[in-house]
Amino acid sequence: MRHYLNINDLDDLKKTVQESIELKKNELEFSFLGKGKTICLLFFNNSLRTRLSTQKAAQNLGLNCIVMNFGSEGWELEFEDGVVMNQSKSEHVKEAAKVIAQYCDLVAIRAFASLTDKEKDKEEIVLENFKKYAGIPIVNMESATGHPLQALADAITMEEYKTTHKPKVVLSWAPHPKALPHAVANSFVEMMQLQDADFVITHPEGYELDPDITKNCKIEYNQKKAFENADFVYVKNWSSFKEYGEVMKSDSDWMLTADKMKLTNNGKFMHCLPVRRNVIVTDEVIDSENSIVIQQANNRTYSAQIVLKKILENL
Amino acid sequence: MRHYLNINDLDDLKKTVQESIELKKNELEFSFLGKGKTICLLFFNNSLRTRLSTQKAAQNLGLNCIVMNFGSEGWELEFEDGVVMNQSKSEHVKEAAKVIAQYCDLVAIRAFASLTDKEKDKEEIVLENFKKYAGIPIVNMESATGHPLQALADAITMEEYKTTHKPKVVLSWAPHPKALPHAVANSFVEMMQLQDADFVITHPEGYELDPDITKNCKIEYNQKKAFENADFVYVKNWSSFKEYGEVMKSDSDWMLTADKMKLTNNGKFMHCLPVRRNVIVTDEVIDSENSIVIQQANNRTYSAQIVLKKILENL
Amino acid sequence: MRHYLNINDLDDLKKTVQESIELKKNELEFSFLGKGKTICLLFFNNSLRTRLSTQKAAQNLGLNCIVMNFGSEGWELEFEDGVVMNQSKSEHVKEAAKVIAQYCDLVAIRAFASLTDKEKDKEEIVLENFKKYAGIPIVNMESATGHPLQALADAITMEEYKTTHKPKVVLSWAPHPKALPHAVANSFVEMMQLQDADFVITHPEGYELDPDITKNCKIEYNQKKAFENADFVYVKNWSSFKEYGEVMKSDSDWMLTADKMKLTNNGKFMHCLPVRRNVIVTDEVIDSENSIVIQQANNRTYSAQIVLKKILENL
């Protein structure tokens, strides 16, 4: 593997999940692999899990790790071609990407969606420009339209907790006071399309995700009906895709409650975190034994580690 | 030792001071101890000495060290139970603490007092919640009510510079333009209660520290009288505890001057730093040979290192 | 070498350039040299290249590297002597410098010009105070009046790309919407004074650099005439030195264009980056084969590494 921008960059998701579970048993086994090599983690946005787990994964592989908060520590970047740069942006991504590539062997980037310009967000201007100009492997630490390290961690977690060969998995929208990106939901959907599962997406009408991503996934507008016999309930807010970036609904009808969980097949509760308690999900559900959000977060280390390992082996 | 939240978490202060002095002679002797282990340093507030010395201590022990400025790099945390999280706080400490514990073996935290809510400050909501939920050792890098790494460094420094078995030690309040927390003074008082010393606290009336901490320590409202024959003069500002967080006095009467130092027994001047020159203490005193503030700061490495060593040995 | 504050701190520039080119061939050859030693990188200003390349250089030498953004993570520093510190500044450089020196073996500092107080900028109050009080080696990562790590990287790059023993090198001013410091231009001029070259500085009248630095360098106010037969064209904006910090001209007359490059002897285009495209230089020039700005940036690692190596060998 050269880059990891999308879950589909993995040759074989199922095999990668198994390899991750093996790696987890002996996380320092490949600590020689990164020796003398350097990864840069570039954050254009805040981060807790991704920041810590990717550093941990890099350390487990023996990589030198340089962390940079691009927004506050570097220069504002221009991404358009041919611009007269006489405004606030003092460096073009062409130079920034090529320069960073002089100092490291691979680079991981977090750059959220604008939620104001759908086309530019779909073009993934930050990641794609770095990929185009840096000439070294790029890892997506959550971009405008995807969060494939999260989706891989989700896949590992479901593999560890599933009790049937073909579980029923529900991705449910939930309310949130602010406009959130589609990245986590998108990558989860793309990942589920590679799984043996009965997969259902449920959300209020008007909250359809990008149809280029959901393709022919089953959509059920009745949340309770969707939850029937579910083995995994993955809850996540996202803003409208059609009315791009708008929050059209924020009352608590769609919050995940214990009553709704009773409709499931003793289902597991999943969320990528951070999660707003009693907005997205009640305390009762997230504090229950069926909540596996911490185990999910733990697998972020191993999803990052297997991805970095595959890239290092191919350098 | 499991956690280090308070100087009283040490089994035996005097023995720990001796061990620190031994460690200082060969600071890389235990560089194998942290191998393959990771410490997270979480800063909710600014830091110079603590930031650098704790990183140095971790490196001396061979620990991987991940530093995070929680305020600017992570998510705003909720600490209350049962809250509907529909305001600015996007993650609950329950998740944050448990998640961070997935990526590291121990965590050190700096979280200053609010100085607005005495009860919450006394409850130490940040540290206690991390302790409750993280399930891994927690180290206090200055909390609402204590700074035990500083107090241990102070104890090491006094041991190195004392010329008599039972020195006279004075903790003196000094003026400052802004409201400062009680943490340094509190931990110094708690540490002195474990020492063979003639210990006196001096401050203007109304500046009494928390009586739950000072207990039956001798308080002398006449600063000059307190200084008579002192071997160590530890100067520090704090805001009012009674009128919580208020600055009731800021004129220079209580500033430490060379004239006042003449009352001492060739006493040593101590301060935790940062110090405002010619407000807390005159240039003449801090620049004199009797000033040991830099040596104190140097011992921050060894107080952190002995604490981390004891925790690592017990992991 | 003890400190590296100025390009003239190098014993022998030409020899150092050759050593850097050797080091580049086997950058991990001296990875034993920094073992058990720590460098602090202190940033009072933003940085991309310097931040990453100096960390990379430190890692290549086996140094522990602690990075601190002094402005946002530490305390505001006082640099004046004898001040009553009752305003916003909470720590004096005397303490800060001495304290930092307790935790590391060498310190590198970035502290830009104020561009408001010419005398203080010329005094280099940040670097000189750290040098005076820290008592450990200080490395300049761009100060008020110089950027000698950049100038050394420039010298390495010119050595690699020159096709004649005594090339013609032109330093040309170019327009920029904001007031920029003189540091890069100053160090480039000082470095060129140590080279075998036909060196010309060109800029609009009123943009003369500090005559204490340019000394008897050739100045040509006609940019096109200056470019005739040039082997290297180094473009850089700076604000006025006479009318200190003022921007007196920002139209595009002095922008570097392909037409102007045609006047050169197939000259190479150089710039320290970040560069504003189509303000300082047209896309056509910076994207041409004669542009060596990325190679220049790459040499930042080796200029930092040879400097740190020389300091470590002398510790």
Side-chain angles (χ1 to χ4, degrees):
Chain A
M1 191 167 60
R2 173 75 177 160
H3 302 286
Y4 186 64
L5 302 185
N6 188 285
I7 191 86
N8 291 305
D9 289 331
L10 295 173
D11 274 347
D12 183 334
L13 172 65
K14 289 178 192 172
K15 202 171 147 223
T16 303
V17 166
Q18 293 305 329
E19 290 166 351
S20 305
I21 290 170
E22 279 308 303
L23 193 63
K24 197 172 169 175
K25 293 177 190 158
N26 187 1
E27 64 185 36
L28 297 178
E29 187 181 350
F30 297 94
S31 62
F32 60 88
L33 211 56
K35 217 180 157 220
K37 293 196 170 62
T38 299
I39 185 171
C40 273
L41 311 187
L42 303 184
F43 290 94
F44 289 86
N45 302 93
N46 280 20
S47 172
L48 169 58
R49 275 150 288 277
T50 300
R51 181 182 294 274
L52 300 185
S53 63
T54 313
Q55 282 184 70
K56 182 69 183 295
Q59 286 173 348
N60 284 347
L61 291 166
L63 276 165
N64 293 323
C65 188
I66 296 178
V67 179
M68 183 170 171
N69 298 312
F70 217 90
S72 60
E73 297 177 339
W75 311 110
E76 202 181 339
L77 292 188
E78 176 63 62
F79 291 95
E80 300 297 319
D81 271 346
V83 171
V84 176
M85 289 173 61
N86 58 3
Q87 301 300 314
S88 64
K89 295 169 180 175
S90 50
E91 180 146 35
H92 200 284
V93 66
K94 288 185 190 180
E95 277 71 60
K98 288 176 189 171
V99 163
I100 290 166
Q102 306 299 310
Y103 310 134
C104 57
D105 300 282
L106 61 169
V107 61
I109 299 171
R110 163 163 283 204
F112 288 175
S114 67
L115 292 183
T116 54
D117 186 330
K118 190 192 281 197
E119 288 321 305
K120 273 197 193 140
D121 284 348
K122 285 197 75 164
E123 285 170 20
E124 292 282 9
I125 57 166
V126 181
L127 257 66
E128 287 299 330
N129 273 289
F130 269 90
K131 180 181 168 187
K132 184 171 174 186
Y133 296 114
I136 59 172
I138 310 292
V139 174
N140 182 345
M141 296 199 296
E142 185 172 343
S143 68
T145 68
H147 195 354
L149 286 174
Q150 179 66 52
L152 177 52
D154 298 339
I156 299 167
T157 311
M158 288 193 289
E159 180 66 20
E160 291 177 325
Y161 283 90
K162 75 179 185 189
T163 55
T164 167
H165 176 64
K166 195 181 169 188
K168 179 174 178 184
V169 178
V170 183
L171 170 65
S172 175
W173 184 90
H176 191 280
K178 289 185 182 173
L180 293 192
H182 310 91
V184 169
N186 285 347
S187 288
F188 187 79
V189 169
E190 291 174 318
M191 180 271 289
M192 287 309 303
Q193 287 163 350
L194 304 170
Q195 299 276 33
D196 295 321
D198 174 13
F199 179 53
V200 183
I201 308 173
T202 182
H203 53 68
E205 290 194 54
Y207 271 102
E208 288 75 15
L209 290 163
D210 183 353
D212 291 347
I213 285 171
T214 54
K215 289 169 183 156
N216 50 8
C217 282
K218 191 175 165 191
I219 295 174
E220 168 58 65
Y221 294 109
N222 183 329
Q223 192 190 33
K224 289 186 183 171
K225 198 169 164 202
F227 284 168
E228 283 170 14
N229 290 312
D231 296 292
F232 294 95
V233 175
Y234 197 105
V235 180
K236 182 74 187 84
N237 171 269
W238 57 86
S239 56
S240 175
F241 179 75
K242 248 188 228 162
E243 307 298 325
Y244 196 62
E246 286 200 19
V247 174
M248 295 169 350
K249 184 173 170 52
S250 62
D251 59 70
S252 59
D253 293 6
W254 280 72
M255 177 167 66
L256 184 63
T257 63
D259 272 352
K260 292 178 188 171
M261 285 302 282
K262 282 180 193 151
L263 302 168
T264 70
N265 177 31
N266 192 28
K268 301 294 184 189
F269 164 66
M270 298 179 76
H271 189 284
C272 59
L273 306 180
V275 66
R276 285 168 177 258
R277 286 171 166 255
N278 304 309
V279 174
I280 294 280
V281 58
T282 62
D283 283 337
E284 196 180 354
V285 173
I286 192 171
D287 291 333
S288 73
E289 283 198 355
N290 281 26
S291 168
I292 54 174
V293 294
I294 303 303
Q295 294 88 331
Q296 235 182 307
N298 184 39
N299 281 329
R300 293 293 309 277
T301 300
Y302 308 103
S303 73
Q305 196 171 334
I306 197 78
V307 162
L308 297 181
K309 177 175 175 285
K310 283 175 184 289
I311 291 173
L312 284 172
E313 286 168 343
N314 200 37
L315 267 188
Chain B
M1 191 167 60
R2 174 74 176 161
H3 301 285
Y4 187 64
L5 302 184
N6 188 285
I7 189 88
N8 291 304
D9 289 332
L10 295 173
D11 274 345
D12 183 333
L13 172 64
K14 287 178 194 173
K15 204 173 144 222
T16 304
V17 166
Q18 292 306 329
E19 291 166 351
S20 307
I21 291 170
E22 280 307 304
L23 193 63
K24 196 172 169 175
K25 293 177 191 158
N26 187 0
E27 64 184 38
L28 297 178
E29 186 180 352
F30 298 94
S31 62
F32 60 89
L33 210 57
K35 215 180 159 223
K37 294 199 169 59
T38 299
I39 186 171
C40 272
L41 311 188
L42 303 184
F43 290 94
F44 289 86
N45 303 93
N46 280 20
S47 174
L48 169 57
R49 274 149 290 276
T50 301
R51 181 182 295 274
L52 300 185
S53 64
T54 314
Q55 283 185 70
K56 182 69 183 296
Q59 285 173 348
N60 283 346
L61 292 166
L63 276 164
N64 292 323
C65 188
I66 298 178
V67 179
M68 182 170 172
N69 297 312
F70 217 91
S72 60
E73 297 178 339
W75 311 109
E76 204 181 338
L77 292 188
E78 175 64 62
F79 291 94
E80 300 297 319
D81 271 347
V83 171
V84 176
M85 291 172 58
N86 58 3
Q87 301 300 313
S88 65
K89 295 169 179 175
S90 51
E91 178 145 37
H92 200 283
V93 67
K94 288 185 190 180
E95 277 71 59
K98 288 176 188 170
V99 163
I100 290 166
Q102 305 301 311
Y103 310 134
C104 57
D105 300 281
L106 61 169
V107 61
I109 300 171
R110 163 163 283 203
F112 287 175
S114 68
L115 292 183
T116 55
D117 186 329
K118 190 192 281 197
E119 289 320 305
K120 274 197 191 139
D121 284 349
K122 283 198 75 164
E123 285 170 20
E124 292 282 8
I125 57 167
V126 181
L127 258 65
E128 288 299 330
N129 273 289
F130 268 90
K131 181 182 168 187
K132 184 172 174 185
Y133 296 115
I136 58 171
I138 310 292
V139 174
N140 182 344
M141 297 198 297
E142 186 173 342
S143 68
T145 69
H147 195 355
L149 287 174
Q150 179 66 53
L152 177 52
D154 298 339
I156 298 167
T157 311
M158 286 193 290
E159 181 65 19
E160 291 177 325
Y161 284 90
K162 76 180 182 189
T163 55
T164 168
H165 176 65
K166 194 180 169 190
K168 179 173 178 184
V169 178
V170 182
L171 171 64
S172 175
W173 183 91
H176 192 279
K178 290 185 181 173
L180 293 192
H182 310 91
V184 168
N186 285 347
S187 289
F188 188 78
V189 169
E190 290 175 318
M191 179 272 288
M192 286 309 303
Q193 287 164 351
L194 304 170
Q195 299 276 32
D196 294 322
D198 174 14
F199 180 52
V200 183
I201 309 173
T202 183
H203 53 69
E205 289 192 55
Y207 271 102
E208 287 75 16
L209 290 163
D210 183 352
D212 291 346
I213 284 170
T214 53
K215 290 170 184 156
N216 52 7
C217 282
K218 190 175 164 190
I219 296 174
E220 168 58 64
Y221 294 110
N222 183 328
Q223 191 190 34
K224 287 187 184 171
K225 200 169 161 200
F227 285 169
E228 282 171 14
N229 290 311
D231 296 293
F232 294 95
V233 175
Y234 197 106
V235 180
K236 180 75 186 83
N237 171 268
W238 57 86
S239 56
S240 176
F241 179 75
K242 249 188 228 164
E243 307 297 325
Y244 195 62
E246 286 199 20
V247 174
M248 296 170 347
K249 183 173 169 51
S250 63
D251 59 70
S252 60
D253 292 7
W254 280 73
M255 177 167 65
L256 184 62
T257 62
D259 273 351
K260 292 178 187 172
M261 285 301 283
K262 282 179 192 153
L263 302 168
T264 70
N265 179 32
N266 193 26
K268 300 294 184 190
F269 163 67
M270 298 181 74
H271 189 283
C272 60
L273 305 180
V275 67
R276 285 168 178 258
R277 287 171 166 254
N278 304 311
V279 175
I280 294 280
V281 58
T282 61
D283 283 338
E284 197 180 353
V285 173
I286 193 172
D287 290 333
S288 74
E289 282 198 355
N290 282 25
S291 169
I292 55 173
V293 294
I294 302 303
Q295 295 86 332
Q296 236 182 304
N298 184 38
N299 281 329
R300 293 294 308 278
T301 300
Y302 308 103
S303 74
Q305 195 171 334
I306 197 79
V307 162
L308 297 180
K309 175 175 176 284
K310 283 174 184 288
I311 291 172
L312 285 172
E313 285 168 343
N314 199 37
L315 266 188
Chain C
M1 191 167 58
R2 173 74 177 161
H3 302 286
Y4 186 64
L5 303 184
N6 188 284
I7 190 87
N8 290 305
D9 289 330
L10 295 174
D11 274 347
D12 183 333
L13 172 65
K14 288 179 193 171
K15 204 174 145 220
T16 303
V17 166
Q18 292 305 330
E19 290 166 352
S20 306
I21 290 169
E22 279 308 302
L23 193 63
K24 196 172 170 175
K25 292 177 191 159
N26 186 0
E27 64 184 38
L28 297 178
E29 186 180 352
F30 298 94
S31 61
F32 61 89
L33 210 57
K35 215 179 160 219
K37 293 198 169 60
T38 299
I39 185 171
C40 273
L41 311 188
L42 303 183
F43 289 94
F44 291 84
N45 302 94
N46 280 19
S47 173
L48 168 58
R49 275 150 288 277
T50 300
R51 181 182 294 274
L52 300 184
S53 64
T54 314
Q55 283 185 71
K56 181 69 183 296
Q59 286 173 349
N60 284 348
L61 291 165
L63 276 165
N64 293 323
C65 188
I66 297 179
V67 179
M68 181 169 173
N69 296 312
F70 217 90
S72 60
E73 297 177 339
W75 310 110
E76 202 181 338
L77 292 189
E78 176 63 62
F79 291 95
E80 299 296 320
D81 272 346
V83 171
V84 176
M85 290 172 58
N86 58 4
Q87 300 300 313
S88 64
K89 294 169 180 175
S90 52
E91 180 147 33
H92 200 284
V93 67
K94 287 184 189 180
E95 277 72 58
K98 288 176 189 171
V99 164
I100 290 165
Q102 305 300 310
Y103 310 134
C104 57
D105 301 282
L106 61 169
V107 61
I109 300 171
R110 164 163 283 205
F112 287 176
S114 68
L115 292 183
T116 54
D117 186 329
K118 189 191 283 197
E119 287 321 305
K120 273 197 193 140
D121 284 349
K122 284 197 75 165
E123 284 168 21
E124 291 284 8
I125 57 167
V126 181
L127 258 66
E128 288 299 330
N129 274 288
F130 269 90
K131 181 181 168 188
K132 184 172 174 184
Y133 296 116
I136 58 172
I138 310 292
V139 174
N140 182 346
M141 296 198 297
E142 186 172 344
S143 68
T145 67
H147 195 355
L149 286 173
Q150 179 66 51
L152 178 52
D154 298 339
I156 299 167
T157 311
M158 286 192 292
E159 181 64 20
E160 291 176 325
Y161 284 89
K162 76 180 184 188
T163 54
T164 166
H165 175 66
K166 194 180 169 188
K168 179 174 179 184
V169 178
V170 182
L171 170 64
S172 175
W173 183 91
H176 191 280
K178 289 184 181 173
L180 293 191
H182 310 90
V184 168
N186 285 347
S187 289
F188 188 78
V189 169
E190 290 174 318
M191 180 271 288
M192 285 310 301
Q193 286 164 350
L194 304 170
Q195 299 274 34
D196 295 322
D198 173 14
F199 179 52
V200 183
I201 309 173
T202 183
H203 53 68
E205 288 193 55
Y207 271 102
E208 288 75 14
L209 291 163
D210 183 353
D212 290 347
I213 285 171
T214 53
K215 289 169 185 158
N216 51 7
C217 282
K218 190 176 165 189
I219 296 173
E220 168 60 65
Y221 295 109
N222 183 328
Q223 191 190 34
K224 289 187 181 168
K225 197 168 162 201
F227 285 169
E228 282 171 13
N229 290 312
D231 296 292
F232 294 96
V233 174
Y234 197 106
V235 179
K236 180 76 187 81
N237 172 268
W238 57 86
S239 55
S240 176
F241 179 76
K242 249 188 230 165
E243 308 297 325
Y244 196 61
E246 286 199 21
V247 174
M248 296 169 348
K249 183 172 168 54
S250 62
D251 59 70
S252 58
D253 292 7
W254 280 73
M255 177 167 66
L256 184 63
T257 62
D259 271 352
K260 291 178 187 172
M261 285 303 281
K262 282 179 193 152
L263 302 168
T264 70
N265 178 31
N266 193 27
K268 301 294 184 187
F269 164 66
M270 297 180 76
H271 189 283
C272 59
L273 306 181
V275 67
R276 286 169 177 258
R277 285 171 167 255
N278 304 311
V279 174
I280 294 280
V281 57
T282 61
D283 283 337
E284 196 179 354
V285 173
I286 193 172
D287 291 332
S288 74
E289 283 199 354
N290 280 27
S291 169
I292 54 174
V293 293
I294 302 303
Q295 294 88 330
Q296 236 181 306
N298 183 39
N299 281 328
R300 293 294 309 276
T301 299
Y302 308 103
S303 74
Q305 194 170 335
I306 197 79
V307 162
L308 297 181
K309 176 174 176 284
K310 283 174 184 287
I311 291 173
L312 285 171
E313 285 168 342
N314 200 37
L315 266 187

